[in-house]
Amino acid sequence: MKRLGLLILVCVCVFSAWAQRASYNIIPLPKEVKADTTQFFTLANGMGIAYDEGNAESTRIAQFLQEWVKQATGVELQLTAADKKAPISLSLIAPAKKSKKSKQPVELTAQQKESYTLTVNKEGVQISAYEPAGLFRAAQTLRKSLPIAKGQSVELPYVQITDQPRFSYRGVLLDCGRHFFSVEFIKQFLDAMALHGCNQFHWHLTEDQGWRFEVKALPDLAKKGSVREKSIIAPSKVRLYDNIPYGGYYTQEECREIVRYAAERYINVVPEIDMPGHMQSALHVFPNLGCTGGPYPVAPHWGVMREVLCGGNPETLKFLKTVFGELCDVFPSPYIHIGGDECPKERWQKCPKCQAKIKELGLTTENVKVEGDGGRGSQDGRSAENKLQSYINHEIEQFLASRGRSMIGWDEILAGGLTEDAIVMSWRGTKGGVAAAKQKHRVIMSPNVFSYIDHPQLKDLSKSPRTTDSYVVSCSKMYSFEPLVPEELTKEEGECILGVQANLWTEHVAYPEHALYQLLPRLGAMSEVQWCNPEQKDFENWKKRLPQLEKLYDRMGLVYCNEVE
Ligand code: ACM
Ligand code: ZN
């Protein structure tokens, strides 16, 4: 009897080392999954992945898939270009024609360009998509479905997956101004984003505390503006400093490398130069651009600084056009972020140059309340100074349009009146976004109480590393965010909502491990807000699917918070 028990145990162990089973209960959940868990295709060493040899992107995606299958399961697949009989195939398919008579294919939406189907049957795994981006998302789906094991083969239940994201803009912001993160870490961050189906990396490149983008025409800007002499020691209410110089910036070559790496993962890099506030690092290098003339240190502590670019000095626009010009040279993004948040106007109210410009433009203060009022350091109402900020935005919007780009700004840009084509990033709740959509402006929702991942994710603050702790953004809170509320927006207005973004500000996040801890697994929660339709969402079910993703985090060496609230 004992022997039989031992035999069974040995058989079970050998079998489980031999074959592990995949599960399609992944994050974010695909739009439609029809699985038959009674039948399996067995993926084994030496099997081929067929791809379109003539297509460099298809080739690269096949290589990714090969690498990911090996990383998760140990199974080694072969690339067998053009062999359509291989058990795994990646195929690009043509979109349907506009009509029977027409030769023209229908115009695909941004979401359709990332759509795909993934079928597992007795023949193997067939992936098809209209565009390489869809093949890439499908390959990630297969990767996340795999068991994390080191076996000889993997059983894939038969399935038909049809998938497409809900929103075209699925972003994450990383603040590299407060703390500098290496190119190597940013690549890891991009890998984590791609794993969750995100497609927009909002790179916050400049802050009061450090200028991180090389501008070749202004070499001192990054050289001197990137270094603060010291940093405040937490807690920030007590002004004690470490007296250690802190710096770092990205050369244009490094930025291009990030753009290339992101593009290979179907992520667009949206660069942000935050102006006219949050500019003290630039003022340190060019004090003539401030209303008072300086001197200004690169800020050693956090908060909203009253020293901002002078709105009346013609040199300011010249400076901005030089900076945004080089930014456009380096970043091919259709969107360029101009910041626009937290720009106190007390200097402008007293500055002769700013006041002369206000007079010249005929700007007057209107006593109306507008969305975009209030908040840290912002001046309320449609004031002449807020309108001066809108004038600067207008000049930069025109400049960016001449380079074929659209301008994004934080929701404070509503205060002085939105410029023609501005895209609003709504961070002080969703009201600014709703107001902008009602004016038919495109909107990205990033409301702080749902999507600021610099805040702790657990209520018991003693469990977390130090963060911005005025409120908690738990996974469940983040997951509960619904950007399209029918009582607030009509269907047509809702179409202005491009998508949703999570923001990682880094006043208190100085190290890669901490950044990842803040990001994960919250990005898993955010990914379902970004990708899934509301009727698919179920937080309890999401929690059940999380362990499979966490095993992959472990395999990828990604640090995460292993408690979920
Ligand atoms: C912001 O959080 N100041 C956009
Ligand atoms: Zn001024």
Side-chain angles (χ1 to χ4, degrees), residues 90-347:
L90 302 173
S91 330
L92 287 167
I93 52 170
K97 299 275 183 314
K98 270 187 179 152
S99 67
K100 269 190 187 155
K101 283 189 199 139
S102 166
K103 287 206 176 105
Q104 290 277 314
V106 287
E107 183 91 30
L108 297 176
T109 63
Q111 287 92 325
Q112 284 169 331
K113 287 180 182 170
E114 295 187 83
S115 69
Y116 65 89
T117 61
L118 189 161
T119 306
V120 178
N121 55 24
K122 66 176 189 320
E123 316 289 340
V125 183
Q126 301 100 46
I127 289 172
S128 60
Y130 299 124
E131 304 246 334
L135 295 181
F136 182 80
R137 304 289 173 226
Q140 289 280 12
T141 289
L142 185 57
R143 173 194 203 182
K144 285 183 277 188
S145 303
L146 295 170
I148 303 298
K150 284 275 183 243
Q152 303 293 308
S153 63
V154 171
E155 290 183 347
L156 302 173
Y158 286 6
V159 77
Q160 171 80 37
I161 297 177
T162 314
D163 201 8
Q164 179 173 314
R166 180 183 183 198
F167 290 108
S168 66
Y169 186 110
R170 306 181 302 281
V172 185
L173 171 147
L174 180 64
D175 168 12
C176 292
R178 272 55 175 260
H179 283 102
F180 176 81
F181 291 88
S182 68
V183 168
E184 187 192 5
F185 174 69
I186 292 173
K187 289 182 177 177
Q188 192 182 28
F189 195 86
L190 289 165
D191 284 335
M193 284 179 60
L195 182 71
H196 294 82
C198 302
N199 67 351
Q200 305 289 333
F201 173 52
H202 177 167
W203 198 2
H204 188 77
L205 280 165
T206 61
E207 261 307 335
D208 297 302
Q209 297 81 8
W211 184 281
R212 311 279 175 227
F213 173 63
E214 178 191 30
V215 179
K216 288 194 193 282
L218 306 167
D220 277 352
L221 187 51
K223 257 189 214 127
K224 296 185 180 160
S226 62
V227 184
R228 56 178 179 259
E229 276 183 2
K230 55 187 181 179
S231 305
I232 193 159
I233 300 169
S236 55
K237 281 178 197 120
V238 185
R239 294 221 162 159
L240 298 175
Y241 296 90
D242 60 9
N243 294 318
I244 302 168
Y246 181 93
Y249 68 88
Y250 307 99
T251 63
Q252 292 195 357
E253 205 175 314
E254 287 171 325
C255 293
R256 287 196 169 95
E257 170 63 11
I258 292 294
V259 168
R260 185 199 60 76
Y261 191 89
E264 285 184 353
R265 285 146 187 83
Y266 299 91
I267 295 173
N268 173 54
V269 182
V270 182
E272 179 185 355
I273 300 291
D274 198 349
M275 67 91 189
H278 289 285
M279 269 280 168
Q280 204 169 299
S281 58
L283 292 179
H284 171 69
V285 186
F286 301 113
N288 62 311
L289 297 180
C291 292
T292 63
Y296 311 101
V298 178
H301 47 254
W302 324 124
V304 176
M305 311 295 156
R306 63 184 169 178
E307 305 300 349
V308 303
L309 291 178
C310 175
N313 183 347
E315 291 300 313
T316 292
L317 278 176
K318 214 167 118 197
F319 165 80
L320 289 174
K321 287 178 186 175
T322 302
V323 170
F324 280 107
E326 291 200 22
L327 201 71
C328 288
D329 293 342
V330 172
F331 293 95
S333 173
Y335 313 118
I336 301 288
H337 205 303
I338 58 132
D341 58 323
E342 300 175 326
C343 178
K345 302 294 186 322
E346 58 182 276
R347 294 294 191 215

Side-chain angles (χ1 to χ4, degrees), residues 341-342 410 427 452 505:
D341 58 323
E342 300 175 326
W410 297 109
W427 72 278
Y452 270 35
W505 302 104

Side-chain angles (χ1 to χ4, degrees), residues 348-415:
W348 288 14
Q349 282 170 315
K350 300 215 173 87
C351 168
K353 286 196 210 105
C354 287
Q355 290 305 316
K357 191 73 191 172
I358 283 171
K359 211 163 164 199
E360 179 198 317
L361 296 169
L363 306 177
T364 53
T365 293
E366 290 167 87
N367 237 344
V368 285
K369 275 205 78 70
V370 281
E371 266 334 316
D373 277 357
R376 303 202 310 171
S378 303
Q379 193 187 34
D380 275 1
R382 198 140 286 172
S383 66
E385 288 78 18
N386 279 345
K387 288 181 182 174
L388 181 58
Q389 185 174 347
S390 282
Y391 160 77
I392 296 171
N393 293 347
H394 172 79
E395 288 290 308
I396 299 305
E397 182 178 86
Q398 296 295 307
F399 176 79
L400 293 174
S402 75
R403 305 287 300 258
R405 317 306 175 88
S406 295
M407 179 183 91
I408 306 180
W410 297 109
D411 58 43
E412 283 92 336
I413 65 170
L414 279 142

Side-chain angles (χ1 to χ4, degrees), residues 7 73 108 142 191 204 320 443 450-451 488 502 513 524 542 564:
L7 189 67
T73 66
L108 297 176
L142 185 57
D191 284 335
H204 188 77
L320 289 174
V443 169
F450 290 103
S451 61
E488 290 176 338
E513 287 211 352
W542 177 86
V564 165

Side-chain angles (χ1 to χ4, degrees), residues 71-89:
Q71 181 190 47
T73 66
V75 171
E76 297 199 36
L77 304 175
Q78 310 293 324
L79 298 189
T80 54
D83 175 9
K84 299 291 178 243
K85 290 233 168 57
I88 302 127
S89 64

